[in-house]
Amino acid sequence: MSLTSAATLATLDRTGPRRITDLAAIAGVTQPAMTVLVRVMEESGLVERRGDPSDRRVTLVCLTEAGTSYVRARRRAGVQAFAGLIDKLTDAEVEALAAALPALQHLAELDSEDREGSKQ
């Protein structure tokens, strides 16, 4: 699976159903490219398209159960991989990493705000 596909699935898991145009803006790809990507993920059973109940003209891309399971399994695998690596650090390195967590969290929040702002 491509990084863009994985990131799109993670976005849908984090934010809920989205328009293809929103997904394209967040991923930094063109709308036609995202349309193709969504079609491939749809054929794989990871996403589905549904009408927006508040606006019948709009189609939303939603995670399926299989898509949600995939994202969560990938996330668990990533956590386990990092935990294994962290176990190899010295106590001082673990302390330094823990001290950096607030700054890293802030960076993630700023990145999320930037991505959300760029789609509007």
Side-chain angles (χ1 to χ4, degrees):
M1 173 171 296
S2 73
L3 287 175
T4 305
S5 297
T8 299
L9 292 174
T11 295
L12 291 170
D13 185 57
R14 193 175 55 256
T15 66
R18 302 298 284 252
R19 294 177 180 208
I20 286 181
T21 53
D22 291 344
L23 293 172
I26 292 166
V29 300
T30 64
Q31 183 177 346
M34 183 55 68
T35 299
V36 170
L37 186 69
V38 166
R39 187 177 310 122
V40 169
M41 291 189 299
E42 197 172 24
E43 290 168 358
S44 299
L46 300 172
V47 300
E48 63 185 8
R49 297 175 204 224
R50 293 186 189 156
D52 184 341
S54 64
D55 186 345
R56 292 183 181 205
R57 299 167 297 171
V58 174
T59 299
L60 299 174
V61 179
C62 310
L63 278 180
T64 61
E65 238 179 84
T68 300
S69 294
Y70 177 82
V71 170
R72 302 223 170 127
R74 242 183 100 108
R75 196 171 286 140
R76 276 192 305 276
V79 167
Q80 290 171 349
F82 270 106
L85 292 171
I86 290 169
D87 285 343
K88 295 177 182 180
L89 297 177
T90 66
D91 288 345
E93 290 169 326
V94 171
E95 287 176 25
L97 189 58
L101 287 175
L104 292 171
Q105 179 63 38
H106 188 215
L107 282 175
E109 291 166 0
L110 291 171
D111 180 57
S112 179
E113 290 170 10
D114 284 350
R115 288 176 189 265
E116 290 296 313
S118 69
K119 76 171 183 96
Q120 294 175 358

